[in-house]
Amino acid sequence: MTSPSEGRQVKAPIVAGGHTRIRPFNTRDTYPEQNLDNDLCQAVVAGNTMYVRGQIGQNLDTNESVGIGDAEAQAEQAMANIKMLLEEAGSRMEPCSTGRSRWPGPAWTEACRAGER
């Protein structure tokens, strides 16, 4: 499977128990500085519902942080990640019914909202 954003190879979705796991990864590879070894994924499709893991300003193809100290750049990256995950699951942004944003404080609110647009 190839990432639509970067043209990079990504792990194919895993189907188990009727659920599809999008972008599976192991914490050992993603967070090498920590002593972790857990199989996780960025999103799960169950029936006609998709659950997306909390997204941050991190490039999902390279695991690199984006926009350190720049709330708008981080919000833009997080929303780009969500868009990419929806597309990889065969969906798009338009039918999304709910979402929740969390910011570290009031000073970040406007910049983060700009990144969500």
Side-chain angles (χ1 to χ4, degrees):
M1 179 175 185
T2 304
S3 165
S5 65
E6 301 285 326
R8 298 177 192 263
Q9 288 297 111
V10 297
K11 291 184 180 179
I14 296 171
V15 178
H19 300 140
T20 303
R21 300 178 70 204
I22 308 294
R23 290 257 178 165
F25 68 96
N26 188 289
T27 53
R28 159 189 73 244
D29 304 321
T30 307
Y31 309 108
E33 70 283 356
Q34 300 179 30
N35 187 23
L36 300 171
D37 187 6
N38 302 296
D39 290 319
L40 302 174
C41 63
Q42 294 293 337
V44 174
V45 177
N48 64 354
T49 303
M50 183 171 179
Y51 301 92
V52 179
R53 182 176 191 258
Q55 295 299 305
I56 59 173
Q58 181 182 47
N59 182 311
L60 295 182
D61 291 324
T62 64
N63 297 331
E64 292 180 50
S65 294
V66 174
I68 295 173
D70 182 344
E72 186 172 347
Q74 291 176 24
E76 287 174 355
Q77 181 64 49
M79 294 307 293
N81 290 349
I82 292 168
K83 181 178 186 289
M84 180 172 52
L85 292 168
L86 287 166
E87 290 171 353
E88 288 180 16
S91 188
R92 60 188 194 287
M93 294 289 275
E94 290 79 25
C96 290
S97 60
T98 61
R100 178 174 294 162
S101 298
R102 293 194 178 116
W103 305 304
W108 286 56
T109 301
E110 194 55 41
C112 289
R113 285 192 175 141
E116 288 181 338
R117 294 185 192 118

